[in-house]
Amino acid sequence: MSKRENPYVSQSPGSTPKKRMFSAVQANLNTFTGLPYSDKYYDILEKRKTLPIWEQREEIIDCVQKHQVVLLAGETGSGKTTQIPQLLVEAGIVKDKMVGCTQPRRVAAMSVARRVAEEMDVKLGEEVGYTIRFEDLTSEKTILKYLTDGMLLRESMADPLLERYGAIILDEAHERTLATDVLFGLLKEMLNSRPDLKVVVMSATLDTQKFQDFFIGAPLIKVPGRTFPVDIFYTPEPEKDYLEASIRTVIQIHTCEEPGDILLFLTGEQEIEDACKRITNEIASLGDNVAPLKCLPLYSSLPRDLQDRIFDPPPKSRTPGGPIGRKCIIATNIAETSITIDGVVYVIDPGFSKQKVYNPRIRVESLLVSPISRASAQQRAGRAGRTRPGKAFRLYTENSFKKDLAPQTYPEILRSNLGSVVLQLKKLGIDDLVHFDFMDPPAPETMMRALELLNYLGALDDEGNLTPLGEQMSEFPLDPQLSKMLIYSARFNCSSEILSITAMLSVPNCFIRPKDSQKQADEAKSKFLHKEGDHLTLLNVYHAYKTEHDDPKWCWDNFLNYRSLVQADSVRKQLANIMQRLQVDINSTVFGHREYYPNILKALCLGFFMQVAHLEKQGNYLTVKDNQVVHLHPSSGLNFKPEWVIYSEFVLTTKNYIRVTTSVKAEWLVELAPHYYDLSNFPNCEAKRVLERIYRRSTQSTPNLAHTSI
Ligand SMILES: Nc1ncnc2c1ncn2[C@@H]1O[C@H](COP(=O)(O)OP(=O)(O)O)[C@@H](O)[C@H]1O
Ligand SMILES: [Mg+2]
């Protein structure tokens, strides 16, 4: 028996969901703790009652009772994410089972869980919690859980019918992330075997026809938003530099427009931090006659306490009666629909966001700054009209809006490498991927590439069936290359070191390089550099951090991101737990032994043998087999150009870069992955000729480690 109990049900078992819903907000004592509610609870309750969704609670409960799947579309900020999950708990529709609400973004899952814990006056992590990759803040008591869509997909592998849940809310469905799209198909299939399971699909007010066509017969509830008109301004001419134009626009608004907060959309951490600094400096240079402006960044890797500051009130005026200060939130797409910030009156939309792109032909997935869609632009503009009429400044021409922007963003499934997802689906026993009910089926070539990758890694056999190795790999919340490497590293007596490297690869970049002290930062970094390459440098950093007893001051002095390292440590522990569960040894070669580094490098090759570049005679690198010209990323610590490198990441900017690169020997590649380095299907190139010589030299054949299962 689970310890979880829904007090709304146990305290009034004979009641109806609607009655429970009404009495929940009339109670004087906290239903969970039996204690009087805090003042804050009542404050927030008053605000909740003004949300557009509040009046529709009865209708929603009725509908969820009658139908297994309900679609709900409502303007951002109408209260969907914070109110609907609570409502299902309070009405007791799910009995003692959990309500799970998915979010495409980690930040949103954390932020909203924290807010809802406050709204329900409980401690975060107890009745209300969240689960994101490598972080689980839930307990046995948890009845309302926010989680990333990727985590729910992962949970379904251990619990294929999601028995712990009485209701699943797929939130932000319009975002059409890869994991949400797969969940659509899985849940649809699950409905028959779980007649008691309720599914609510929530989205912003976009084209909902797709959802209606997919969940045939599901009713659609529309929540009319309380939005104010937003005037839209375009630039008369295209902007050459959107960052410059954005900064200029912020200053203009701040100095010329009525009070009201500003929301500026940029594409990533670096750009956002730069813009914050530059705007702050420019405002400071204008002197004390200008009202204070507080720049607040918002992006996914931002530390939690800083994330929360976006909800702080704007700064006070410098002198009593002086001009009122304002907030300028500079955010990634997170602020488009996931997180609502009240008080925004001005939106600046440069028209770009970082989007995943995948080219199956050359097997490259990368994040690329790309133009947004018209639907996205509409959502962004809408953020200006939450509390009163607002203005949206689009930093592109009206003609460009009409002609250049696509009407909708392409679903992620159409622009992703599907390796991980196919492995998970195989683990779920879904063998016939061609007939899986995808809302938008991925391109056959993409699917082929995923199967090919998993076959080369040894996770699938030649018939496409999951091998025992594939079973083990699917247990790790990692890319298949990394899980393969981790499992096999024990055979090279270096799984402890590979664990550390994998953990470091799974967290935000640990090196800090502030614009105004790049030289000092580079000097600090040079102490950790390993001559063979960046993977070993990461290992050096991790070891040094542990030797210094996780000291934050030492991190600060050495230009290392303390939070990244704390996170790496936690990721490492969790991965180690999975390894123990799977009975994979955690071992090391004695440091100083001449095989210490070669062993680690060989293990890296076992994961990354398909991500290799060869140095051509002209001095440029070509990716192996796909023959793409690539360059070592400027952040690489390699001070020479090795003939063969493995890389962890492909970065597309003005050039093709490979990032996190390490020198390896061609002999290892041939020895460890002969099925991939089989020259009979190798394009004609310099690398092939080098490999031919190696094959000729090697007299004895070595066992095909990469392809055998354990
Ligand atoms: N952490 C928070 N602090 C203050 N207000 C919040 C917080 N999170 C959400 N809200 C407020 O709750 C309201 C409803 O938000 P939400 O439920 O996320 O709407 P929707 O999901 O429909 O976009 C918004 O007005 C938002 O400003
Ligand atoms: Mg929401």
Side-chain angles (χ1 to χ4, degrees):
M1 251 321 266
S2 111
K3 286 200 190 126
R4 195 180 315 112
E5 182 186 283
N6 186 336
Y8 293 102
V9 178
S10 56
Q11 289 172 19
S12 49
S15 192
T16 64
K18 249 191 283 183
K19 277 193 195 143
R20 288 194 198 112
M21 172 191 102
F22 284 118
S23 53
V25 286
Q26 281 157 3
N28 296 321
L29 295 179
N30 187 325
T31 314
F32 289 107
T33 58
L35 300 171
Y37 280 119
S38 65
D39 289 346
K40 189 165 186 187
Y41 167 84
Y42 289 106
D43 275 357
I44 302 183
L45 182 60
E46 287 316 303
K47 290 205 192 93
R48 290 170 59 199
K49 286 181 181 168
T50 65
L51 289 171
I53 215 159
W54 195 260
E55 278 136 44
Q56 275 167 289
R57 295 190 318 147
E58 238 185 295
E59 179 194 346
I60 294 166
I61 285 296
D62 270 342
C63 204
V64 174
Q65 265 189 288
K66 286 202 197 100
H67 299 91
Q68 203 176 359
V69 183
V70 173
L71 311 175
L72 196 130
E75 184 61 43
T76 305
S78 56
K80 300 182 298 297
T81 309
T82 51
Q83 305 310 307
I84 300 299
Q86 277 186 81
L87 181 60
L88 297 189
V89 172
E90 288 169 1
I93 288 190
V94 295
K95 308 258 169 34
D96 288 337
K97 294 200 170 196
M98 271 197 290
V99 172
C101 179
T102 64
Q103 295 294 313
R105 298 189 172 81
R106 304 157 51 92
V107 187
M110 295 190 287
S111 156
V112 122
R114 210 162 342 131
R115 168 69 174 185
V116 171
E118 277 180 1
E119 291 192 3
M120 292 172 71
D121 220 4
V122 296
K123 191 159 167 260
L124 179 63
E126 296 191 351
E127 287 83 1
V128 178
Y130 67 82
T131 307
I132 58 182
R133 191 168 80 129
F134 295 125
E135 196 178 332
D136 181 14
L137 202 62
T138 61
S139 69
E140 284 174 328
K141 281 197 215 165
T142 302
I143 193 151
L144 171 46
K145 169 156 144 182
Y146 288 91
L147 72 177
T148 52
D149 45 8
M151 281 314 296
L152 186 63
L153 191 54
R154 191 145 276 288
E155 283 187 12
S156 72
M157 293 194 322
D159 180 10
L161 292 180
L162 295 172
E163 304 271 9
R164 301 191 298 154
Y165 294 92
I168 298 287
I169 302 170
L170 294 179
D171 199 2
E172 305 278 331
H174 62 274
E175 290 234 5
R176 300 290 308 279
T177 56
L178 180 52
T180 296
D181 262 22
V182 175
L183 285 167
F184 283 142
L186 287 179
L187 284 171
K188 191 168 164 181
E189 214 169 81
M190 216 181 280
L191 294 173
N192 282 332
S193 346
R194 280 288 314 273
D196 62 317
L197 181 73
K198 300 289 186 188
V199 175
V200 181
V201 178
M202 308 205 290
S203 78
T205 46
L206 288 173
D207 181 17
T208 47
Q209 195 57 48
K210 262 227 129 111
F211 303 129
Q212 286 177 287
D213 293 344
F214 187 76
F215 292 107
I216 297 158
L220 170 68
I221 303 179
K222 288 191 174 161
V223 186
R226 210 175 298 134
T227 48
F228 295 85
V230 175
D231 283 334
I232 294 183
F233 300 90
Y234 294 93
T235 51
E237 297 293 326
E239 291 289 352
K240 273 200 216 65
D241 182 335
Y242 69 80
L243 191 59
E244 293 295 328
S246 305
I247 294 170
R248 202 171 61 233
T249 312
V250 170
I251 308 288
Q252 257 164 20
I253 294 172
H254 187 53
T255 48
C256 306
E257 298 277 350
E258 299 286 303
D261 296 334
I262 304 171
L263 172 60
L264 162 62
F265 287 97
L266 289 179
T267 65
E269 171 175 352
Q270 199 55 50
E271 202 176 72
I272 289 174
E273 290 293 350
D274 275 0
C276 277
K277 274 204 195 105
R278 290 179 51 190
I279 293 169
T280 308
N281 290 343
E282 291 217 17
I283 296 288
S285 73
L286 296 176
D288 279 354
N289 291 337
V290 174
L293 178 90
K294 190 150 98 187
C295 279
L296 298 167
L298 178 62
Y299 47 83
S300 58
S301 54
L302 189 72
R304 205 152 313 163
D305 42 325
L306 297 181
Q307 275 169 24
D308 270 355
R309 287 172 45 204
I310 56 167
F311 295 107
D312 290 351
K316 297 216 167 56
S317 42
R318 295 189 207 274
T319 48
I324 300 172
R326 63 176 115 214
K327 291 192 285 192
C328 174
I329 296 129
I330 308 185
T332 59
N333 248 8
I334 295 177
E336 197 174 289
T337 59
S338 286
I339 294 182
T340 311
I341 309 148
D342 293 327
V344 172
V345 178
Y346 305 98
V347 162
I348 305 171
D349 170 19
F352 291 96
S353 68
K354 229 179 233 177
Q355 290 167 34
K356 200 194 270 180
V357 286
Y358 179 61
N359 181 345
R361 204 137 299 164
I362 54 168
R363 296 179 300 119
V364 166
E365 184 185 78
S366 188
L367 285 173
L368 194 63
V369 172
S370 323
I372 59 169
S373 64
R374 289 205 287 274
S376 254
Q378 225 86 46
Q379 287 294 334
R380 288 179 171 193
R383 306 299 91 240
R386 283 270 304 129
T387 32
R388 62 190 163 88
K391 294 182 180 176
F393 298 89
R394 291 183 174 157
L395 304 182
Y396 39 93
T397 64
E398 185 163 11
N399 204 26
S400 182
F401 173 78
K402 287 184 181 147
K403 295 230 176 83
D404 301 341
L405 301 192
Q408 303 281 341
T409 314
Y410 270 111
E412 194 184 2
I413 197 164
L414 303 182
R415 34 186 186 89
S416 299
N417 168 357
L418 297 179
S420 280
V421 160
V422 168
L423 184 61
Q424 290 188 33
L425 288 174
K426 288 278 178 184
K427 167 78 181 168
L428 281 167
I430 295 162
D431 283 323
D432 185 3
L433 295 170
V434 176
H435 294 105
F436 184 75
D437 201 349
F438 287 112
M439 202 176 275
D440 281 290
E445 195 180 357
T446 304
M447 203 55 119
M448 284 276 301
R449 285 301 194 179
L451 293 169
E452 181 193 75
L453 167 80
L454 294 171
N455 179 246
Y456 276 129
L457 287 170
L460 298 181
D461 63 21
D462 291 345
E463 275 71 55
N465 298 317
L466 204 58
T467 61
L469 171 64
E471 294 261 352
Q472 291 199 320
M473 284 166 60
S474 72
E475 296 285 322
F476 291 90
L478 294 171
D479 279 343
Q481 292 90 324
L482 293 174
S483 51
K484 160 75 185 281
M485 166 173 104
L486 209 45
I487 294 169
Y488 262 77
S489 57
R491 297 187 169 194
F492 288 92
N493 261 326
C494 61
S495 54
S496 175
E497 287 72 23
I498 292 291
L499 248 180
S500 309
I501 294 173
T502 306
M504 292 294 281
L505 288 172
S506 305
V507 301
N509 180 14
C510 66
F511 297 107
I512 304 173
R513 195 167 184 262
K515 270 236 158 77
D516 44 9
S517 34
Q518 289 178 349
K519 198 160 160 272
Q520 293 94 314
D522 291 344
E523 268 168 31
K525 185 176 172 182
S526 69
K527 281 183 285 186
F528 303 109
L529 291 185
H530 191 287
K531 67 176 186 349
E532 298 295 325
D534 304 326
H535 294 87
L536 299 181
T537 298
L538 290 176
L539 181 64
N540 282 348
V541 171
Y542 181 77
H543 281 163
Y545 166 73
K546 294 314 285 179
T547 310
E548 297 294 329
H549 307 291
D550 310 11
D551 180 8
K553 180 167 180 305
W554 175 84
C555 290
W556 176 258
D557 293 342
N558 286 281
F559 291 86
L560 293 173
N561 184 340
Y562 173 63
R563 287 168 206 277
S564 287
L565 288 161
V566 172
Q567 209 182 331
D569 219 16
S570 146
V571 169
R572 191 183 187 285
K573 282 199 189 91
Q574 296 178 51
L575 293 175
N577 284 342
I578 302 177
M579 286 173 73
Q580 262 150 11
R581 182 154 53 78
L582 299 179
Q583 296 179 329
V584 180
D585 271 353
I586 299 183
N587 51 21
S588 287
T589 305
V590 180
F591 186 72
H593 191 286
R594 67 189 167 87
E595 291 304 314
Y596 180 83
Y597 284 116
N599 279 344
I600 297 173
L601 294 171
K602 283 181 188 170
L604 287 168
C605 286
L606 271 178
F608 291 118
F609 61 84
M610 294 174 79
Q611 284 157 242
V612 175
H614 177 252
L615 180 66
E616 303 288 291
K617 287 213 182 73
Q618 294 101 324
N620 59 299
Y621 280 96
L622 277 190
T623 57
V624 156
K625 281 203 177 179
D626 303 308
N627 284 349
Q628 296 298 300
V629 177
V630 290
H631 304 266
L632 299 181
H633 195 267
S635 68
S636 173
L638 279 168
N639 63 3
F640 70 111
K641 278 182 152 183
E643 185 182 357
W644 299 86
V645 288
I646 51 162
Y647 60 90
S648 284
E649 228 184 305
F650 199 104
V651 188
L652 286 169
T653 51
T654 42
K655 285 188 195 168
N656 293 341
Y657 286 110
I658 46 177
R659 187 155 60 192
V660 194
T661 41
T662 290
S663 163
V664 294
K665 289 199 175 129
E667 285 79 1
W668 296 338
L669 298 169
V670 166
E671 178 193 326
L672 299 170
H675 55 305
Y676 188 73
Y677 287 86
D678 171 4
L679 296 185
S680 63
N681 60 16
F682 222 82
N684 213 1
C685 57
E686 263 180 53
K688 181 175 184 173
R689 287 186 285 282
V690 177
L691 291 169
E692 275 167 352
R693 282 200 293 279
I694 290 170
Y695 272 111
R696 274 202 299 272
R697 270 207 306 270
S698 74
T699 42
Q700 84 228 44
S701 66
T702 31
N704 176 354
L705 263 177
H707 213 186
T708 46
S709 2
I710 50 175

